[in-house]
Amino acid sequence: MTARWWQKGVIYQIYPRSFQDMDGDGIGDLKGIARRLDYLAELGIDAIWISPIYPSPMADFGYDVADYRGIDPRFGTLADFDALLAAAHARGMKLLLDFVPNHSSDQHPWFIESRASRTNPKRDWYIWRDAAPGGGPPNNWISDFGGSAWQWDEATGQYYYHAFLKEQPDLNWRNPDLRAAMMDVLRFWLDRGVDGFRIDVLWHMVKAADFPDNPPNPDYRPSMGEMHSLLQLHSTDQPEIHDIAAEMRRLADCYGDRVLIGEIYLPLDRLMHYYGREQAGVHLPFNFQLIEAPWNARGLAQMIAAYEAALPPGGWPNWVLGNHDRPRIAARLGEAQARVATMLLLTLRGTPTLYYGDELGIGHVEIAADRVQDPRELREPGLGLGRDPVRTPMPWDESPNAGFTTGTPWLPLNPDWPMRNVARQAGEPGSPLMLHRRLLALRRTHAALSIGDIRLIDTEGDMLAYERHADGERLLVALNLGHDPQRFVPPRWARGACLLLSTIDDPVAGDGEALMFRPDEGMILAPQDNS
Ligand code: NOJ
Ligand code: MG
């Protein structure tokens, strides 16, 4: 079986507001992405996923869509989009859009109709309920951004449901007309030539038909955010979602080599259902375990083994280290260990997704109170749940505003941008950017690293090690996940192996059979008799 592009390839997520601004409004745009395609080609990624670019009031920065078939003027025009798609394809890169099916904007014409009257033909395209007997919301469900998930509509005397902001009413996927209309949206973009979609909150799309209360979460602490006070037992992950995912999959398959990636935050056993029976679901249910797991060798080894073991027959793995919702990896682990994490991401079996800016090792960016943009932070301030710190503009060079904009950037840059930017790192052999380029190049030339099998190797201490092999080639990846030096004895077949790449850019030391790993060092090794 030959591997598909989305199995071999590496995906790169762009948060479009923050990548490159071309018109001086301080907000990134499609022309900006087009300008930077050569950078992405040189980096060595295979596919770009762009967070939403559709017309939007921007209550949730594009995840509140007011027109599923257009481009927000802040980002450009449909012609700009077509040009970007063609330019990406001309460089052999794929382009994925973000499909947001769970909810629209409250400014979407469908919702404006739906709220016009109880008898409007589109009333049932959203989720309307009477008040509870005695008044108040229909049940106890809580928005993911805090507060009741139900919003009272004075004019029609009912509540509507919103899993996120009240400006993001949930669509009713139990309504066949809504479902058909959304499938048409997918067709619209597939016909235009997009290579697939990242599907926003796929597991949220269907709710229990009778809307029972969610049970309390026994492990809740207020610092988690109010959404975690309840278990989302009835508001998410309903069995009917799999039929919808299968319909999307059938459609995507009609177009040939397209990919569907589901955003799903669920425990492993639940997550696996999203591959669908006999692979009829999404191609890649996002695997966020590297974002969520405690960073230690034993735990990660067990997690990798459990994930591999849980995959259904034919299910292709994938790994994510960062996205626009979670703290940056270098903020979490520090720059040195983030380099090891990158080596892990790019050498595990499965499709990796990189997050823009992580290739520069950008760390935590403090956002002053008067510059906060994220509605998540504004609704539950001070818990550290705000997402602005991971959405700051890409620093390109040493010109004003790091070359991101000639205007005022919508969010501040990483304060170390004069040193930490693309132009500077491109000239430094040991920079995070060059490590990414070298890892991506290695992955491209060694099939073992992309589509090869994986076998975990028993280790001690902070070492995590595994073997990858394909077509008779066998490689060893060994990572020191700790901040102390580690002695590591490779398996017999890899003794005296030669170093293909270390996360630390100077020669390695050994003492006979063992390799000495420096703090935060990862290595990829090839045995001498490999080729
Ligand atoms: C998940 C997205 O990743 C997040 O940024 C957004 O706020 C919610 N879905 C709502 O669309
Ligand atoms: Mg702009």
Side-chain angles (χ1 to χ4, degrees), residues 20-30 73-75 405:
Q20 173 71 64
D21 178 28
M22 293 295 277
D23 60 1
D25 66 353
I27 296 172
D29 36 50
L30 295 180
R74 276 163 282 219
F75 294 129
T405 181

Side-chain angles (χ1 to χ4, degrees), residues 248-299:
M248 293 181 185
R249 172 63 178 264
R250 282 194 300 276
L251 178 64
D253 282 352
C254 288
Y255 284 83
D257 219 8
R258 317 286 171 106
V259 70
L260 297 179
I261 306 173
E263 186 208 16
I264 302 145
Y265 284 92
L266 282 176
L268 206 52
D269 57 324
R270 302 300 317 156
L271 180 68
M272 291 300 160
H273 291 280
Y274 288 76
Y275 282 103
R277 238 182 239 134
E278 291 169 11
Q279 299 298 301
V282 295
H283 302 82
L284 301 174
F286 258 150
N287 167 19
F288 296 120
Q289 292 180 97
L290 288 177
I291 293 182
E292 306 205 305
W295 203 258
N296 65 72
R298 296 283 78 73

Side-chain angles (χ1 to χ4, degrees), residues 17 21-25 27-32 52-58 66-67 69-81:
R17 291 180 74 86
D21 178 28
M22 293 295 277
D23 60 1
D25 66 353
I27 296 172
D29 36 50
L30 295 180
K31 284 202 169 89
I53 49 178
Y54 317 105
S56 166
M58 302 287 167
D67 171 5
R69 296 160 184 254
I71 301 292
D72 191 280
R74 276 163 282 219
F75 294 129
T77 62
L78 266 176
D80 293 337
F81 176 78

Side-chain angles (χ1 to χ4, degrees), residues 29-294:
D29 36 50
L30 295 180
K31 284 202 169 89
I33 298 175
R35 168 167 166 212
R36 297 299 182 179
L37 285 177
D38 286 333
Y39 164 76
L40 296 174
E42 201 179 343
L43 180 60
I45 55 103
D46 300 272
I48 307 165
W49 146 38
I50 313 179
S51 283
I53 49 178
Y54 317 105
S56 166
M58 302 287 167
D60 190 19
F61 295 111
Y63 284 96
D64 47 324
V65 178
D67 171 5
Y68 286 101
R69 296 160 184 254
I71 301 292
D72 191 280
R74 276 163 282 219
F75 294 129
T77 62
L78 266 176
D80 293 337
F81 176 78
D82 291 338
L84 173 64
L85 183 61
H89 284 169
R91 287 168 179 77
M93 280 188 273
K94 308 285 186 182
L95 197 150
L96 311 178
L97 283 183
D98 207 313
F99 182 49
V100 191
N102 178 71
H103 45 267
S104 73
S105 162
D106 64 347
Q107 302 305 308
H108 195 294
W110 295 344
F111 188 69
I112 292 173
E113 281 189 55
S114 186
R115 78 186 316 174
S117 77
R118 287 200 189 196
T119 54
N120 186 281
K122 293 216 169 49
R123 183 68 169 179
D124 187 49
W125 284 33
Y126 292 83
I127 297 172
W128 292 96
R129 284 287 173 286
D130 291 335
N139 68 19
N140 71 349
W141 294 2
I142 290 174
S143 152
D144 279 20
F145 292 155
S148 172
W150 296 95
Q151 178 67 24
W152 177 250
D153 180 58
E154 197 57 57
T156 58
Q158 281 190 313
Y159 283 90
Y160 67 85
Y161 176 68
H162 57 92
F164 296 91
L165 299 173
K166 68 175 182 347
E167 293 84 0
Q168 294 168 293
D170 278 46
L171 289 157
N172 178 18
W173 277 82
R174 293 182 186 276
N175 179 298
D177 296 332
L178 173 275
R179 186 163 160 167
M182 289 300 268
M183 291 296 160
D184 278 346
V185 169
L186 289 177
R187 240 173 245 119
F188 173 84
W189 292 106
L190 290 166
D191 285 340
R192 273 198 125 76
V194 306
D195 300 290
F197 301 92
R198 174 267 192 189
I199 305 171
D200 191 63
V201 295
L202 179 62
W203 86 112
H204 269 268
M205 284 172 62
V206 185
K207 336 320 167 180
D210 47 351
F211 293 85
D213 276 357
N214 275 327
N217 174 6
D219 300 323
Y220 172 63
R221 282 169 285 110
S223 61
M224 297 168 149
E226 195 189 355
M227 67 170 283
H228 293 292
S229 63
L230 302 177
L231 299 172
Q232 296 186 330
L233 188 69
H234 304 298
S235 50
T236 66
D237 194 28
Q238 297 301 299
E240 293 89 342
I241 183 58
H242 298 295
D243 185 47
I244 296 171
E247 187 178 350
M248 293 181 185
R249 172 63 178 264
R250 282 194 300 276
L251 178 64
D253 282 352
C254 288
Y255 284 83
D257 219 8
R258 317 286 171 106
V259 70
L260 297 179
I261 306 173
E263 186 208 16
I264 302 145
Y265 284 92
L266 282 176
L268 206 52
D269 57 324
R270 302 300 317 156
L271 180 68
M272 291 300 160
H273 291 280
Y274 288 76
Y275 282 103
R277 238 182 239 134
E278 291 169 11
Q279 299 298 301
V282 295
H283 302 82
L284 301 174
F286 258 150
N287 167 19
F288 296 120
Q289 292 180 97
L290 288 177
I291 293 182
E292 306 205 305

